Amino acid sequence: MKDYASSDLRNFAVLGHASAGKTMLAEAMMACSGRIGRMGSIAAGTTVSDYHDSERKHQISVHASLLHTEWMEKKFNILDCPGYTDFISEGLGAMRVGDFAVIVINAAHGIGIGTDASWDYATHFGLPKIVVINGLDKPNVSFDDIVADTRAHFGKNVFPMTIPLNVGPGFSHTLDVLRNELVTYTPGGTGKYTETPPGALSERVEQLHRELIEFVAESDDSLMEKFFEKGVLAEEELRAGLHKTIQNQVFVPLFAVSAETNVGVARLMDFMAKYGSSPLDRAEVPAKDASGVAGSVQLSQPEPVVYVFKTMNEPGVGELSLFRLFSGTLKSGDELRNTTRDLSERVGQLYLLNGRERIPVPLLRAGDLGAAVKLRDTHTGDTLCAPKYQVVLPKVEYPRPNIHAALRLRSKGDEDKLAVGLATLHQEDPTFHYRVDEEVHQTIVSGQGEIHLQVIVERLARRFGVTVDLEEPHIPYRETIRGRGDSRYRHKKQTGGAGQFAEVWLRVEPGPRDTGVEFKQSLVGTNVDRVFVPSVEKGVQTACKEGIYAGFRVTDVKAEFYDGKMHPVDSKDIAFQVAGYHAFKEAFQAASPCLLEPIYTVAVTVPEDFVGAVLGDLSSRRGQIMGVESDGHFQIIRAKVPQKDLYHYSTVVRSLTSGRGRHAEEFSHYAEVPAEYVQKILAERAKRNGPVAVEK
């Protein structure tokens, strides 16, 4: 294995909206560099990075795939990320360990919600950006229009470094603004090209070259002075200034390519090798020491510090942990401390990855990316470091789930396998959540989209042998009261020997919303021994948990135990529990019971063209529109919507917006169910669980 200095590493995430051509761009880079003999295709399932079963089945990227190659004596660590927001955790993990972001825009489709999200996340992680306009070999595309849209959307500092000359089928010529050359690519997808002077196009390319010089000069006071003095910068000064302008994010280079035909990719790689970020540009990263005190990790320090950005299970290998080494040197067999979980780990065999290909290596140096097998209890987001230098690197903050479903096992007896499978998949993918909901008696899984949950179900079947179906989760309705009620319930049981006797006088009234059940006693005199108060309360709580009106939990009720009667022999704990239970049910039924439903706050981000369609759909879902606000070229619609009407809403948003919208949801409060929906809910509940027993 060739040994690379940190300055010769280029770690970058390839990001963008779904179907922008990210995987094919990575494939073209591998072909350009000679890493693969010929390019594969998405349709045939033969690309280097999309090799998992789920990726071949759905013909989309599901995992962030780590690839590596060499170009101009620089090592490229390429992180090919999914475009679907269902798998946003993959892109976030990649950006956590990348040094810059390559954001791909499809020339035919334009800027999508995924483009915007990629840009925002890259900015959040402080990553410099390179924009790639892809698909310029397709008919009816306009490079000038897409560049204008990109600059209007992301800023005037987005600047084209290459200009396509024959856009459309047969695209093969570009103008190189930096080198003042006409570049002609040979057919066949090899990425090879020839260079000639621009000829009649020299005036156009020189004008762009002058604009480029001005961009660079504006980022540096000393260069600005030279520019004002001479009206021009020397080529050496221009090239030296470019790297700095990109790092400061005052300049975003844009390249014109066709990834499928491998046109324009080689010059993009040239630029990344010469001017792209290296680990030296992030030589210090924040961390906390063992006591939680803020500090940092220096690239130059000798002790290894590792951040695990992804874990996955590979057939024939077992669990594979993908990581970045932020400092030091890491060797197979090293003993490290997992400071996230406070345990020791012995590092197994180290690998470099190219999709499914694994190349064993004896060691990795600071700044590099790699993988290790059989780490005992290390998961996504964990920090590993030398025992004598213990720090914790900050984890990625992942978005909340926006789709939920209930799991139904096809085969009884698979409960244990299901529990293991769900726990393992959550450890691998932090955006996948699950819980066993005791209130609705279902296992609820949550994720970032419908495809995300489909892939989870496929993994459960393939890896753990558990077949499940997804169904709509039951809604955790609640019961409460509108008025006051009173009961005087006597429990008397005589079956020979000691009997049971208790009489409970109880009144109820509505409590403030979201306060649960408040129980108190106001007994006076000696009619009831105070020792029985907890027994009555236990009976009340049992009734509340079971439900009275429709079999749902009771909430927002004040219950007062104010009097009663007891027997010197037959009164006991169980008797007052039973009396309290039935007294509460009687009083509740007399107090105008009603149903409450969970209401969620929803924020839908969509292009302006789709606002009307989304507003109409929200209204049909009993949504209360709270407002619409502008966020760049997108509009954010905020609304309050009942949980019942949000099942598969993420899929609906994508359908309404041609895949360009997304939504986030969060529980807000409980509100009374409108009268016209109550009978339907009661009928559904009775069909599922049988009718609720009503006290005579």
Side-chain angles (χ1 to χ4, degrees):
M1 182 195 77
K2 184 174 178 179
D3 203 7
Y4 294 92
S6 297
S7 59
D8 293 332
L9 299 173
R10 300 291 181 268
N11 305 319
F12 58 93
V14 184
L15 308 160
H17 195 63
S19 302
K22 301 175 293 299
T23 294
M24 289 309 298
L25 178 62
E27 191 82 358
M29 289 182 178
M30 301 293 280
C32 276
S33 61
R35 195 71 184 177
I36 56 176
R38 57 178 295 178
M39 292 174 61
S41 74
I42 302 291
T46 53
T47 60
V48 177
S49 55
D50 283 359
Y51 65 93
H52 291 90
D53 292 337
S54 52
E55 293 173 319
R56 290 177 171 174
K57 178 179 179 179
H58 296 282
Q59 294 195 354
I60 61 170
S61 295
V62 169
H63 295 275
S65 290
L66 175 58
L67 316 175
H68 76 279
T69 191
E70 183 181 287
W71 189 256
M72 296 179 67
E73 299 187 346
K74 303 291 190 292
K75 183 188 178 190
F76 281 23
N77 284 319
I78 306 166
L79 290 155
D80 175 27
C81 303
Y84 279 86
T85 54
D86 297 59
F87 310 104
I88 188 63
S89 67
E90 303 288 323
L92 292 175
M95 282 184 273
R96 177 68 181 81
V97 298
D99 291 314
F100 62 99
V102 176
I103 297 179
V104 185
I105 300 174
N106 186 296
H109 303 157
I111 296 168
I113 202 84
T115 321
D116 223 41
S118 299
W119 186 282
D120 290 344
Y121 281 127
T123 301
H124 170 75
F125 284 103
L127 299 184
K129 309 168 192 74
I130 295 175
V131 174
V132 174
I133 305 298
N134 183 36
L136 291 166
D137 60 316
K138 305 303 180 189
N140 305 316
V141 296
S142 170
F143 179 74
D144 291 341
D145 288 350
I146 193 67
V147 169
D149 287 347
T150 304
R151 298 187 76 187
H153 198 80
F154 296 120
K156 297 297 183 184
N157 58 338
V158 177
F159 187 84
M161 301 298 291
T162 57
I163 306 293
L165 296 180
N166 58 330
V167 171
F171 166 56
S172 59
H173 301 288
T174 64
L175 274 179
D176 191 308
V177 173
L178 186 59
R179 299 188 191 180
N180 287 338
E181 291 173 338
L182 173 63
V183 184
T184 302
Y185 290 84
T186 57
T190 63
K192 295 179 179 178
Y193 58 83
T194 57
E195 301 165 314
T196 56
L201 298 167
S202 59
E203 185 176 339
R204 181 182 180 189
V205 74
E206 285 172 8
Q207 172 60 32
L208 289 167
H209 192 77
R210 283 193 295 272
E211 292 179 25
L212 174 61
I213 291 172
E214 289 178 20
F215 260 114
V216 174
E218 288 173 4
S219 68
D220 188 286
D221 291 341
S222 61
L223 291 179
M224 181 63 81
E225 289 177 12
K226 291 180 181 178
F227 181 70
F228 279 136
E229 287 175 11
K230 302 176 182 177
V232 70
L233 291 179
E235 280 304 303
E236 296 75 18
E237 293 169 333
L238 170 62
R239 294 175 187 275
L242 259 178
H243 179 80
K244 183 177 180 181
T245 62
I246 295 169
Q247 293 308 307
N248 294 337
Q249 301 188 49
V250 296
F251 173 76
V252 180
L254 179 148
F255 288 83
V257 311
S258 166
E260 283 189 5
T261 58
N262 207 348
V263 172
V265 178
R267 274 313 235 277
L268 167 64
M269 295 174 73
D270 288 350
F271 187 88
M272 291 194 294
K274 290 181 179 179
Y275 308 110
S277 307
S278 78
L280 294 183
D281 295 302
R282 293 210 296 169
E284 183 179 3
V285 294
K288 291 183 178 179
D289 66 15
S291 304
V293 177
S296 64
V297 173
Q298 303 284 340
L299 182 71
S300 58
Q301 72 182 36
E303 297 87 358
V305 175
V306 170
Y307 180 82
V308 177
F309 67 93
K310 178 177 173 63
T311 54
M312 59 183 180
N313 191 282
E314 293 282 82
V317 177
E319 187 161 290
L320 197 63
S321 300
L322 280 63
F323 62 84
R324 172 167 173 160
L325 183 59
F326 277 95
S327 69
T329 300
L330 184 64
K331 299 176 183 177
S332 298
D334 279 356
E335 284 281 352
L336 297 181
R337 191 74 184 166
N338 183 326
T339 49
T340 307
R341 300 177 188 275
D342 194 24
L343 52 87
S344 295
E345 288 277 19
R346 178 181 287 274
V347 178
Q349 177 61 55
L350 297 175
Y351 293 97
L352 299 180
L353 302 184
N354 266 327
R356 70 165 66 253
E357 181 189 11
R358 297 167 195 87
I359 302 98
V361 293
L363 58 85
L364 289 170
R365 299 198 185 278
D368 214 344
L369 305 185
V373 294
K374 297 180 173 61
L375 293 178
R376 201 162 37 90
D377 195 21
T378 293
H379 306 292
T380 303
D382 287 0
T383 301
L384 300 170
C385 50
K388 64 180 179 180
Y389 183 79
Q390 297 194 25
V391 295
V392 179
L393 296 168
K395 288 189 174 187
V396 174
E397 293 182 10
Y398 295 101
R400 290 190 180 94
N402 60 29
I403 190 170
H404 315 275
L407 291 185
R408 179 167 51 83
L409 279 168
R410 292 185 188 174
S411 303
K412 290 184 178 180
D414 283 347
E415 287 80 6
D416 290 343
K417 288 196 293 183
L418 176 64
V420 171
L422 292 175
T424 302
L425 293 177
H426 172 66
Q427 289 169 350
E428 293 177 3
D429 178 0
T431 60
F432 166 66
H433 296 258
Y434 72 96
R435 72 182 191 279
V436 178
D437 194 315
E438 298 295 342
E439 187 169 348
V440 298
H441 307 293
Q442 290 179 306
T443 298
I444 307 296
V445 292
S446 304
Q448 297 296 317
E450 190 170 1
I451 300 176
H452 189 195
L453 294 187
Q454 286 176 5
V455 169
I456 291 293
V457 169
E458 291 165 11
R459 289 178 186 169
L460 285 171
R462 189 170 55 249
R463 289 175 51 188
F464 303 99
V466 181
T467 53
V468 298
D469 292 313
L470 295 176
E471 57 188 22
E472 184 174 357
H474 300 157
I475 305 300
Y477 293 106
R478 300 283 168 83
E479 301 179 12
T480 192
I481 52 177
R482 300 190 194 94
R484 297 171 182 267
D486 196 296
S487 171
R488 299 181 179 186
Y489 186 87
R490 173 176 289 186
H491 172 66
K492 187 175 182 180
K493 187 176 181 182
Q494 193 72 42
T495 56
Q500 294 182 15
F501 180 88
E503 187 170 314
V504 172
W505 296 14
L506 193 80
R507 49 180 168 243
V508 297
E509 63 180 61
R513 187 67 71 231
D514 300 322
T515 57
V517 177
E518 178 187 333
F519 176 86
K520 69 176 183 178
Q521 62 90 6
S522 57
L523 298 173
V524 178
T526 58
N527 285 350
V528 179
D529 194 320
R530 304 309 186 265
V531 74
F532 294 121
V533 170
S535 305
V536 174
E537 182 175 8
K538 189 173 182 180
V540 168
Q541 294 296 346
T542 300
C544 290
K545 187 175 181 180
E546 291 179 359
I548 300 161
Y549 176 51
F552 301 108
R553 286 187 182 178
V554 172
T555 189
D556 305 340
V557 173
K558 293 181 178 181
E560 182 184 359
F561 175 26
Y562 65 93
D563 205 351
K565 294 179 181 179
M566 66 179 184
H567 187 276
V569 176
D570 293 345
S571 288
K572 55 193 72 174
D573 170 61
I574 187 62
F576 272 94
Q577 280 191 48
V578 173
Y581 174 87
H582 289 289
F584 182 81
K585 292 183 81 168
E586 280 188 355
F588 188 92
Q589 291 282 18
S592 299
C594 62
L595 287 182
L596 301 176
E597 63 180 342
I599 306 296
Y600 276 65
T601 299
V602 176
V604 191
T605 304
V606 297
E608 192 166 350
D609 294 347
F610 301 104
V611 169
V614 171
L615 287 173
D617 180 75
L618 284 171
S619 296
S620 73
R621 296 172 185 275
R622 298 189 285 142
Q624 179 186 359
I625 308 301
M626 309 304 293
V628 181
E629 59 191 67
S630 179
D631 181 22
H633 284 222
F634 292 87
Q635 300 291 316
I636 301 176
I637 303 166
R638 301 191 187 277
K640 303 281 189 184
V641 185
Q643 181 184 344
K644 174 68 176 174
D645 295 286
L646 286 175
Y647 183 55
H648 276 181
Y649 185 61
S650 63
T651 307
V652 172
V653 170
R654 289 179 187 177
S655 176
L656 288 173
T657 63
S658 302
R660 300 186 66 198
R662 68 176 187 268
H663 93 287
E665 59 186 51
E666 185 177 8
F667 172 75
S668 174
H669 64 283
Y670 271 85
E672 186 173 340
V673 176
E676 60 267 29
Y677 294 97
V678 171
Q679 287 307 314
K680 183 179 179 182
I681 293 170
L682 294 180
E684 287 177 354
R685 188 269 173 204
K687 182 179 179 182
R688 189 168 67 239
N689 298 333
V692 178
V694 179
E695 295 299 318
K696 299 292 186 183

